[in-house]
């Protein structure tokens, strides 16, 4: 059996795993990435696209922000649609900060290219990744590639393998606690090459359910509508999607979309999830492996970036001074931020979607939105959370 050794085995080559590898490389810390899928498959996934300033800062620090600065779109506000009106939350005016619209797919591509340019490679299509002895001081990870079983000895394992990964699943249930909420709807998303007829994102709470008007570039829109949990993509022709989207976002904005052909269409469930703690001996969880937020707050990618930023700092401190102090603090440091993002994402989801529920809950939702539009303090609170809390806060 082929055997190698490295300092950190990273499981998963999504944004969390790739960014961690890049941050470690800059510190001279060796890592091997094991990814179950092919590189093309990873790049083909369409995910979120709103970056907090703190995320941009980390990418910049890692030398990964050149294209982001060229092509990313700075947004100084977002809009909330309600009762046929649109209300703007002026993010920059309220917080001094803005957000950057730049697709997660583009970040993944930038990270892959930076890794290749540094001469570092990742193992794609690594099957049966299995963790061994992660509770002791000499963990090992085995995987199969092309039918051959490989083994890597390492100091640490970083579980960056998403919600369905093997790392969190390796932790016995009596060693952790999980918190979960499923929402009674999903998001049907469409990507289309058409110039966005809106300048800023619009999150709409309509009689017919939630809709989000987003974008990826000056020539590409990304749009979502709330749908039933069991809904199937095949039931939604482009024409049907645009008609429903228009009904929710409002006419006058969406006419140019009616004939746009989708280039991607998919349905995602909405879920909140957190595991505690994030460290188990020599195994550390980061990104979607550790937590899921519903996409309404645009926090998923930003949280993955803050987790791996803290993890790389902790590993750096360990290798520089052989001190485990920062490794010990990793969980608590991440979880403080994670729970705040969970709260905000849950709040946004609750305010903007149609829930099956009683009349009282509906009136509370209406009143909460009215309060948001009237109160500068409520807007400031929303804006502060939307643009992102400081990384070291
Ligand atoms: N072995 C190896 N790789 C695995 C395994 C496994 N057993 N299981 C999953 N993976 C890989 C997946 O194929 C995927 O490429 O781990 C990667 C995890 O990537 P993401 O799901 O993108 O998660 P993460 O890197 O934490 O990024 C978080 O992505 O899902 C969005 O909203 C989320 O924006 C957030 C960001
Ligand atoms: C997206 O553009 O995909 C997007 C934007 C904002 C969100 C969620 C998704 O809150």
């Amino acid at each position: 059996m082929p055997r190698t050794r490295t300092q950190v085995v990273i499981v998963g080559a999504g944004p969390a795993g790739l960014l961690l590898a890049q941050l470690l490389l800059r510190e001279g810390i060796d890592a091997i990435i094991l990814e179950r899928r092919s590189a093309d498959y990873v790049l083909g996934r369409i995910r979120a696209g709103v970056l907090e300033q703190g995320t941009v800062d980390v990418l910049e620090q890692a030398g990964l922000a050149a294209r982001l600065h060229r092509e990313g779109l700075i947004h100084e506000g977002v809009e909330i649609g309600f009762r046929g009106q649109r209300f703007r939350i002026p993010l920059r005016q309220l917080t001094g900060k803005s957000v950057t619209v730049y697709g997660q797919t583009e970040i993944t591509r930038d990270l892959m290219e930076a890794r290749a340019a540094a001469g570092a490679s990742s193992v794609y299509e690594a099957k049966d990744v299995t963790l061994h002895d992660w509770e002791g001081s000499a963990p090992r990870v085995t995987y199969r590639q092309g039918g051959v079983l490989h083994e890597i000895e390492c100091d640490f394992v970083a579980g960056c393998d998403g919600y369905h990964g093997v790392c969190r699943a390796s932790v016995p249930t009596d060693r952790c606690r999980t918190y979960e909420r499923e929402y009674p709807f999903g998001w049907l998303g469409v990507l289309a090459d058409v110039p966005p007829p809106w300048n800023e994102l619009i999150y709409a709470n309509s009689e017919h359910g939630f809709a989000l008007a987003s974008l990826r570039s000056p020539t590409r829109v990304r749009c979502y509508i709330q749908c039933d949990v069991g809904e199937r993509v095949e039931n939604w022709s482009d024409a049907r999607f645009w008609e429903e989207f228009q009904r929710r976002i409002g006419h006058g904005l969406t006419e140019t979309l009616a004939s746009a052909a989708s280039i991607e269409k998919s349905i995602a469930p909405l879920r909140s999830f957190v595991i505690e703690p994030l460290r188990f001996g020599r195994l550390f969880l980061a990104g979607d492996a550790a937590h899921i937020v519903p996409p309404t707050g645009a926090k998923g990618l930003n949280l993955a970036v803050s987790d791996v930023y803290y993890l790389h700092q902790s590993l750096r401190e360990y290798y520089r001074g052989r001190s485990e102090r920062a490794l010990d603090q990793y969980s608590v440091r991440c979880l403080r931020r994670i729970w705040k993002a969970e709260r905000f994402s849950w709040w946004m989801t609750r305010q903007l979607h149609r829930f099956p529920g009683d009349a009282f809950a509906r009136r509370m939702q209406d009143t909460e939105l009215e309060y948001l539009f009237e109160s500068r303090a409520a807007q400031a609170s929303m804006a502060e959370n939307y643009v992102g809390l400081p990384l070291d806060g």
Side-chain angles (χ1 to χ4, degrees):
M1 171 166 61
R3 284 203 172 86
T4 39
R5 187 183 152 77
T6 189
Q7 289 171 299
V8 183
V9 169
I10 299 174
V11 185
L18 285 167
L19 178 61
L20 178 62
Q22 202 59 23
L23 291 168
L24 293 179
L25 196 68
R26 292 173 76 87
E27 300 295 340
I29 300 169
D30 254 12
I32 295 177
I33 303 185
L34 300 177
E35 164 61 49
R36 177 166 60 174
R37 305 286 195 167
S38 69
D40 282 347
Y41 181 94
V42 171
L43 270 181
R45 289 188 298 226
I46 306 296
R47 298 262 177 86
V50 175
L51 310 185
E52 298 174 359
Q53 186 55 51
T55 296
V56 173
D57 293 346
V58 172
L59 292 168
E60 210 166 71
Q61 198 180 316
L64 292 158
R67 191 160 73 96
L68 187 159
H69 284 315
R70 273 198 316 276
E71 297 177 16
L73 305 169
I74 308 281
H75 280 210
E76 300 193 344
V78 292
E79 295 191 11
I80 309 277
F82 184 53
R83 291 185 177 146
Q85 307 276 312
R86 297 211 317 272
F87 187 89
R88 182 169 190 267
I89 308 287
L91 300 172
R92 181 154 201 99
Q93 195 184 318
L94 289 165
T95 65
K97 291 194 232 166
S98 36
V99 291
T100 303
V101 172
Y102 188 69
Q104 180 169 322
T105 313
E106 304 313 317
I107 292 187
T108 307
R109 192 187 306 280
D110 294 345
L111 284 163
M112 281 179 172
E113 282 175 7
R115 187 156 177 81
S121 63
S122 309
V123 181
Y124 284 95
E125 302 187 71
K127 305 297 174 201
D128 303 336
V129 170
T130 310
L131 317 188
H132 309 268
D133 303 333
W134 45 266
E135 295 192 80
S137 57
R140 290 170 299 116
V141 179
T142 53
Y143 66 97
R144 213 170 277 284
Q145 202 188 33
V148 179
L149 188 67
H150 296 251
E151 183 179 85
I152 312 174
E153 293 173 358
C154 58
D155 300 330
F156 299 101
V157 179
C160 300
D161 50 348
Y163 184 65
H164 301 286
V166 64
C167 292
R168 193 182 70 247
S170 305
V171 176
T173 47
D174 63 354
R175 293 279 306 273
C176 60
R177 175 139 194 219
T178 57
Y179 303 82
E180 188 158 15
R181 167 137 315 170
E182 285 187 15
Y183 299 87
F185 40 74
W187 276 18
L188 169 61
V190 159
L191 192 67
D193 276 329
V194 56
W198 41 81
N199 299 320
E200 293 178 335
L201 273 63
I202 308 169
Y203 292 83
N205 173 332
S206 90
E207 282 297 311
H208 309 286
F210 170 78
L212 168 58
S214 181
L215 60 150
R216 285 290 179 279
S217 74
T219 58
R220 184 170 277 190
V221 297
R222 178 67 167 159
C223 301
Y224 300 92
I225 56 173
Q226 171 183 353
C227 65
D228 289 341
V229 178
E231 193 54 87
R232 294 163 65 88
V233 173
E234 301 79 68
N235 295 338
W236 288 84
S237 64
D238 291 348
R240 181 178 175 207
F241 178 88
W242 293 125
E243 195 182 312
E244 186 57 33
F245 180 71
Q246 187 166 61
R247 219 153 68 103
R248 300 182 188 193
I249 283 289
H251 294 261
L253 252 189
T254 48
E255 275 78 22
T256 54
L257 299 174
S259 58
S262 65
I263 49 176
E264 196 265 358
K265 199 184 281 159
S266 52
I267 293 180
L270 265 70
R271 172 182 284 124
S272 300
F273 174 86
V274 181
I275 184 171
E276 290 184 343
L278 305 185
R279 178 189 181 179
F280 304 91
R282 294 280 172 136
L283 167 64
F284 294 82
L285 301 179
D288 276 17
H291 43 75
I292 295 289
V293 283
T296 330
K299 291 285 165 249
L301 174 62
N302 293 296
L303 271 187
V305 169
S306 53
D307 288 354
V308 299
Y309 179 73
Y310 294 148
L311 184 52
H312 109 279
Q313 280 189 335
S314 305
L315 290 167
R316 182 179 63 189
E317 190 169 314
Y318 172 83
Y319 283 113
R320 281 189 184 164
R322 293 279 148 189
S323 151
E324 297 225 5
R325 195 185 58 104
L327 292 173
D328 289 339
Q329 287 168 357
Y330 171 72
S331 257
V332 170
R333 213 173 160 207
C334 289
L335 282 163
R336 255 202 310 264
R337 200 180 156 77
I338 291 164
W339 277 113
K340 286 177 190 152
E342 290 284 349
R343 184 201 71 81
F344 178 64
S345 306
W346 165 82
W347 179 84
M348 286 279 281
T349 304
R350 208 177 43 153
Q351 298 324 321
L352 295 171
H353 292 75
R354 284 287 121 147
F355 284 80
D358 57 37
F360 183 81
R362 257 304 280 289
R363 294 296 286 129
M364 280 299 118
Q365 193 189 49
D366 292 350
T367 308
E368 183 103 22
L369 283 176
E370 281 162 18
Y371 173 61
L372 175 67
F373 300 156
E374 286 160 11
S375 159
R376 193 183 154 87
Q379 289 159 35
S381 163
M382 180 192 151
E384 182 187 38
N385 282 279
Y386 192 84
V387 300
L389 301 165
L391 225 56
D392 282 313

